Short mmCIF file of all heavy atoms in Angstrom, two decimals:
data_model
loop_
_atom_site.label_atom_id
_atom_site.label_comp_id
_atom_site.label_asym_id
_atom_site.label_seq_id
_atom_site.Cartn_x
_atom_site.Cartn_y
_atom_site.Cartn_z
N ILE A 74 -10.48 -18.06 8.33
CA ILE A 74 -11.16 -18.70 7.17
C ILE A 74 -10.43 -18.34 5.88
O ILE A 74 -10.16 -19.22 5.05
CB ILE A 74 -12.65 -18.28 7.11
CG1 ILE A 74 -13.41 -18.90 8.29
CG2 ILE A 74 -13.29 -18.71 5.79
CD1 ILE A 74 -14.80 -18.35 8.50
N LEU A 75 -10.09 -17.05 5.71
CA LEU A 75 -9.38 -16.62 4.50
C LEU A 75 -8.02 -17.30 4.39
O LEU A 75 -7.59 -17.68 3.31
CB LEU A 75 -9.20 -15.10 4.51
CG LEU A 75 -10.45 -14.26 4.21
CD1 LEU A 75 -10.15 -12.77 4.36
CD2 LEU A 75 -10.98 -14.53 2.81
N GLY A 76 -7.34 -17.46 5.52
CA GLY A 76 -6.04 -18.13 5.55
C GLY A 76 -6.14 -19.58 5.11
O GLY A 76 -5.28 -20.09 4.39
N ILE A 77 -7.22 -20.24 5.53
CA ILE A 77 -7.42 -21.65 5.16
C ILE A 77 -7.77 -21.77 3.67
O ILE A 77 -7.27 -22.64 2.97
CB ILE A 77 -8.52 -22.30 6.04
CG1 ILE A 77 -8.03 -22.40 7.49
CG2 ILE A 77 -8.92 -23.67 5.52
CD1 ILE A 77 -9.11 -22.69 8.50
N LEU A 78 -8.64 -20.86 3.20
CA LEU A 78 -9.11 -20.93 1.82
C LEU A 78 -8.08 -20.46 0.79
O LEU A 78 -8.22 -20.71 -0.39
CB LEU A 78 -10.39 -20.10 1.65
CG LEU A 78 -11.64 -20.60 2.39
CD1 LEU A 78 -12.79 -19.64 2.18
CD2 LEU A 78 -12.04 -22.00 1.92
N LYS A 79 -7.04 -19.75 1.27
CA LYS A 79 -6.05 -19.17 0.35
C LYS A 79 -5.36 -20.26 -0.47
O LYS A 79 -4.95 -21.28 0.08
CB LYS A 79 -5.03 -18.38 1.15
CG LYS A 79 -4.24 -17.40 0.30
CD LYS A 79 -3.23 -16.68 1.15
CE LYS A 79 -3.84 -15.57 1.96
NZ LYS A 79 -2.86 -14.92 2.85
N ASN A 80 -5.23 -20.00 -1.76
CA ASN A 80 -4.54 -20.95 -2.64
C ASN A 80 -3.03 -20.83 -2.44
O ASN A 80 -2.45 -19.79 -2.70
CB ASN A 80 -4.91 -20.64 -4.10
CG ASN A 80 -4.41 -21.69 -5.05
OD1 ASN A 80 -3.65 -22.59 -4.67
ND2 ASN A 80 -4.82 -21.60 -6.31
N LYS A 81 -2.44 -21.89 -1.98
CA LYS A 81 -1.01 -21.86 -1.64
C LYS A 81 -0.09 -21.75 -2.88
O LYS A 81 1.04 -21.31 -2.78
CB LYS A 81 -0.64 -23.11 -0.84
CG LYS A 81 -1.36 -23.23 0.49
CD LYS A 81 -0.79 -22.27 1.53
CE LYS A 81 -1.43 -22.45 2.89
NZ LYS A 81 -2.79 -21.92 3.00
N ASN A 82 -0.62 -22.18 -4.04
CA ASN A 82 0.21 -22.15 -5.26
C ASN A 82 0.25 -20.76 -5.90
O ASN A 82 1.09 -20.49 -6.75
CB ASN A 82 -0.32 -23.15 -6.28
CG ASN A 82 -0.19 -24.58 -5.77
OD1 ASN A 82 0.77 -24.90 -5.09
ND2 ASN A 82 -1.16 -25.41 -6.09
N GLU A 83 -0.66 -19.89 -5.51
CA GLU A 83 -0.75 -18.58 -6.12
C GLU A 83 0.33 -17.62 -5.58
O GLU A 83 0.64 -17.67 -4.39
CB GLU A 83 -2.13 -17.98 -5.83
CG GLU A 83 -2.73 -17.26 -7.03
CD GLU A 83 -4.17 -16.92 -6.79
OE1 GLU A 83 -4.43 -16.04 -5.96
OE2 GLU A 83 -5.04 -17.54 -7.43
N VAL A 84 0.86 -16.80 -6.47
CA VAL A 84 1.86 -15.81 -6.05
C VAL A 84 1.14 -14.71 -5.26
O VAL A 84 0.14 -14.18 -5.73
CB VAL A 84 2.58 -15.21 -7.29
CG1 VAL A 84 3.57 -14.15 -6.87
CG2 VAL A 84 3.28 -16.30 -8.06
N GLU A 85 1.66 -14.39 -4.09
CA GLU A 85 0.99 -13.38 -3.25
C GLU A 85 1.51 -11.98 -3.52
O GLU A 85 0.78 -11.00 -3.42
CB GLU A 85 1.18 -13.72 -1.78
CG GLU A 85 0.29 -14.87 -1.34
CD GLU A 85 0.45 -15.17 0.13
OE1 GLU A 85 1.10 -14.40 0.83
OE2 GLU A 85 -0.08 -16.21 0.55
N LYS A 86 2.80 -11.88 -3.82
CA LYS A 86 3.42 -10.57 -3.99
C LYS A 86 4.42 -10.63 -5.14
O LYS A 86 5.22 -11.57 -5.20
CB LYS A 86 4.14 -10.19 -2.69
CG LYS A 86 4.35 -8.72 -2.50
CD LYS A 86 4.89 -8.43 -1.13
CE LYS A 86 5.11 -6.94 -0.96
NZ LYS A 86 5.75 -6.62 0.32
N ASP A 87 4.36 -9.66 -6.04
CA ASP A 87 5.30 -9.65 -7.15
C ASP A 87 5.92 -8.26 -7.30
O ASP A 87 5.78 -7.42 -6.41
CB ASP A 87 4.62 -10.12 -8.45
CG ASP A 87 3.45 -9.23 -8.84
OD1 ASP A 87 3.38 -8.10 -8.32
OD2 ASP A 87 2.61 -9.65 -9.64
N GLU A 88 6.59 -8.02 -8.45
CA GLU A 88 7.32 -6.76 -8.63
C GLU A 88 6.41 -5.54 -8.60
O GLU A 88 6.83 -4.47 -8.13
CB GLU A 88 8.10 -6.81 -9.96
CG GLU A 88 7.19 -6.99 -11.19
CD GLU A 88 7.97 -6.95 -12.49
OE1 GLU A 88 9.03 -7.58 -12.55
OE2 GLU A 88 7.49 -6.28 -13.42
N ARG A 89 5.17 -5.69 -9.08
CA ARG A 89 4.23 -4.57 -9.07
C ARG A 89 3.88 -4.18 -7.62
O ARG A 89 3.84 -3.01 -7.28
CB ARG A 89 2.97 -4.94 -9.85
CG ARG A 89 2.01 -3.79 -10.11
CD ARG A 89 0.83 -4.31 -10.91
NE ARG A 89 0.10 -5.30 -10.14
CZ ARG A 89 -1.10 -5.10 -9.60
NH1 ARG A 89 -1.72 -3.97 -9.78
NH2 ARG A 89 -1.69 -6.04 -8.92
N ASP A 90 3.65 -5.19 -6.79
CA ASP A 90 3.34 -4.94 -5.37
C ASP A 90 4.52 -4.28 -4.67
O ASP A 90 4.35 -3.38 -3.84
CB ASP A 90 2.98 -6.25 -4.67
CG ASP A 90 1.76 -6.91 -5.28
OD1 ASP A 90 0.72 -6.24 -5.35
OD2 ASP A 90 1.86 -8.05 -5.73
N GLU A 91 5.73 -4.75 -5.01
CA GLU A 91 6.93 -4.17 -4.40
C GLU A 91 7.12 -2.72 -4.82
O GLU A 91 7.53 -1.88 -4.02
CB GLU A 91 8.16 -5.00 -4.77
CG GLU A 91 8.25 -6.28 -3.95
CD GLU A 91 9.23 -7.29 -4.50
OE1 GLU A 91 10.01 -6.94 -5.40
OE2 GLU A 91 9.20 -8.44 -4.03
N MET A 92 6.80 -2.42 -6.11
CA MET A 92 6.91 -1.05 -6.60
C MET A 92 5.93 -0.13 -5.85
O MET A 92 6.30 0.96 -5.40
CB MET A 92 6.60 -1.02 -8.10
CG MET A 92 6.77 0.34 -8.74
SD MET A 92 5.85 0.47 -10.29
CE MET A 92 4.19 0.67 -9.72
N VAL A 93 4.69 -0.60 -5.70
CA VAL A 93 3.67 0.19 -5.00
C VAL A 93 4.06 0.38 -3.53
O VAL A 93 3.96 1.48 -2.99
CB VAL A 93 2.29 -0.47 -5.13
CG1 VAL A 93 1.27 0.20 -4.23
CG2 VAL A 93 1.81 -0.43 -6.58
N ALA A 94 4.55 -0.70 -2.92
CA ALA A 94 4.98 -0.62 -1.52
C ALA A 94 6.13 0.37 -1.38
O ALA A 94 6.18 1.16 -0.43
CB ALA A 94 5.39 -2.00 -1.02
N GLY A 95 7.04 0.35 -2.36
CA GLY A 95 8.19 1.27 -2.35
C GLY A 95 7.76 2.72 -2.40
O GLY A 95 8.30 3.57 -1.68
N LYS A 96 6.75 3.02 -3.23
CA LYS A 96 6.24 4.40 -3.33
C LYS A 96 5.61 4.82 -2.01
O LYS A 96 5.75 5.96 -1.57
CB LYS A 96 5.23 4.50 -4.47
CG LYS A 96 5.88 4.50 -5.86
CD LYS A 96 4.81 4.53 -6.93
CE LYS A 96 5.38 4.31 -8.32
NZ LYS A 96 6.20 5.38 -8.83
N GLY A 97 4.90 3.88 -1.38
CA GLY A 97 4.27 4.16 -0.09
C GLY A 97 5.31 4.49 0.97
O GLY A 97 5.19 5.48 1.69
N TYR A 98 6.36 3.65 1.03
CA TYR A 98 7.42 3.87 2.02
C TYR A 98 8.16 5.18 1.75
O TYR A 98 8.52 5.89 2.68
CB TYR A 98 8.40 2.70 2.01
CG TYR A 98 7.88 1.48 2.73
CD1 TYR A 98 7.80 0.25 2.09
CD2 TYR A 98 7.47 1.56 4.05
CE1 TYR A 98 7.31 -0.87 2.75
CE2 TYR A 98 6.97 0.45 4.71
CZ TYR A 98 6.90 -0.76 4.06
OH TYR A 98 6.41 -1.86 4.71
N ARG A 99 8.36 5.51 0.47
CA ARG A 99 9.06 6.75 0.10
C ARG A 99 8.30 7.96 0.63
O ARG A 99 8.88 8.84 1.28
CB ARG A 99 9.21 6.82 -1.42
CG ARG A 99 9.95 8.05 -1.92
CD ARG A 99 9.65 8.30 -3.39
NE ARG A 99 8.23 8.56 -3.58
CZ ARG A 99 7.63 8.63 -4.77
NH1 ARG A 99 8.32 8.41 -5.85
NH2 ARG A 99 6.33 8.89 -4.86
N ASN A 100 7.00 8.03 0.35
CA ASN A 100 6.19 9.17 0.79
C ASN A 100 6.14 9.25 2.32
O ASN A 100 6.26 10.34 2.89
CB ASN A 100 4.77 9.07 0.24
CG ASN A 100 4.70 9.39 -1.23
OD1 ASN A 100 5.71 9.74 -1.83
ND2 ASN A 100 3.54 9.25 -1.83
N ALA A 101 5.97 8.10 2.96
CA ALA A 101 5.90 8.07 4.42
C ALA A 101 7.24 8.52 5.02
O ALA A 101 7.27 9.27 6.00
CB ALA A 101 5.55 6.68 4.90
N TYR A 102 8.32 8.09 4.40
CA TYR A 102 9.66 8.44 4.88
C TYR A 102 9.89 9.95 4.77
O TYR A 102 10.39 10.58 5.70
CB TYR A 102 10.70 7.67 4.07
CG TYR A 102 12.12 7.99 4.41
CD1 TYR A 102 12.70 7.50 5.57
CD2 TYR A 102 12.90 8.79 3.58
CE1 TYR A 102 14.01 7.80 5.89
CE2 TYR A 102 14.21 9.10 3.89
CZ TYR A 102 14.76 8.60 5.05
OH TYR A 102 16.05 8.90 5.37
N HIS A 103 9.51 10.53 3.62
CA HIS A 103 9.67 11.98 3.44
C HIS A 103 8.88 12.75 4.50
O HIS A 103 9.38 13.69 5.09
CB HIS A 103 9.22 12.40 2.04
CG HIS A 103 10.18 11.97 0.97
ND1 HIS A 103 9.86 11.93 -0.37
CD2 HIS A 103 11.46 11.54 1.05
CE1 HIS A 103 10.90 11.50 -1.06
NE2 HIS A 103 11.87 11.26 -0.22
N PHE A 104 7.63 12.34 4.71
CA PHE A 104 6.78 13.00 5.72
C PHE A 104 7.41 12.88 7.11
O PHE A 104 7.47 13.84 7.86
CB PHE A 104 5.38 12.37 5.71
CG PHE A 104 4.52 12.83 6.85
CD1 PHE A 104 3.89 14.07 6.81
CD2 PHE A 104 4.34 12.04 7.97
CE1 PHE A 104 3.12 14.51 7.87
CE2 PHE A 104 3.56 12.46 9.03
CZ PHE A 104 2.95 13.70 8.99
#
Side-chain angles (χ1 to χ4, degrees):
Chain A
I74 291 168
L75 286 176
I77 292 166
L78 293 177
K79 198 181 281 177
N80 188 352
K81 298 285 184 286
N82 295 325
E83 221 169 71
V84 178
E85 285 181 9
K86 203 172 180 185
D87 60 18
E88 61 176 44
R89 190 179 63 108
D90 299 304
E91 282 166 11
M92 184 201 76
V93 171
K96 285 177 189 290
Y98 283 124
R99 182 199 61 190
N100 286 357
Y102 177 76
H103 287 163
F104 171 78

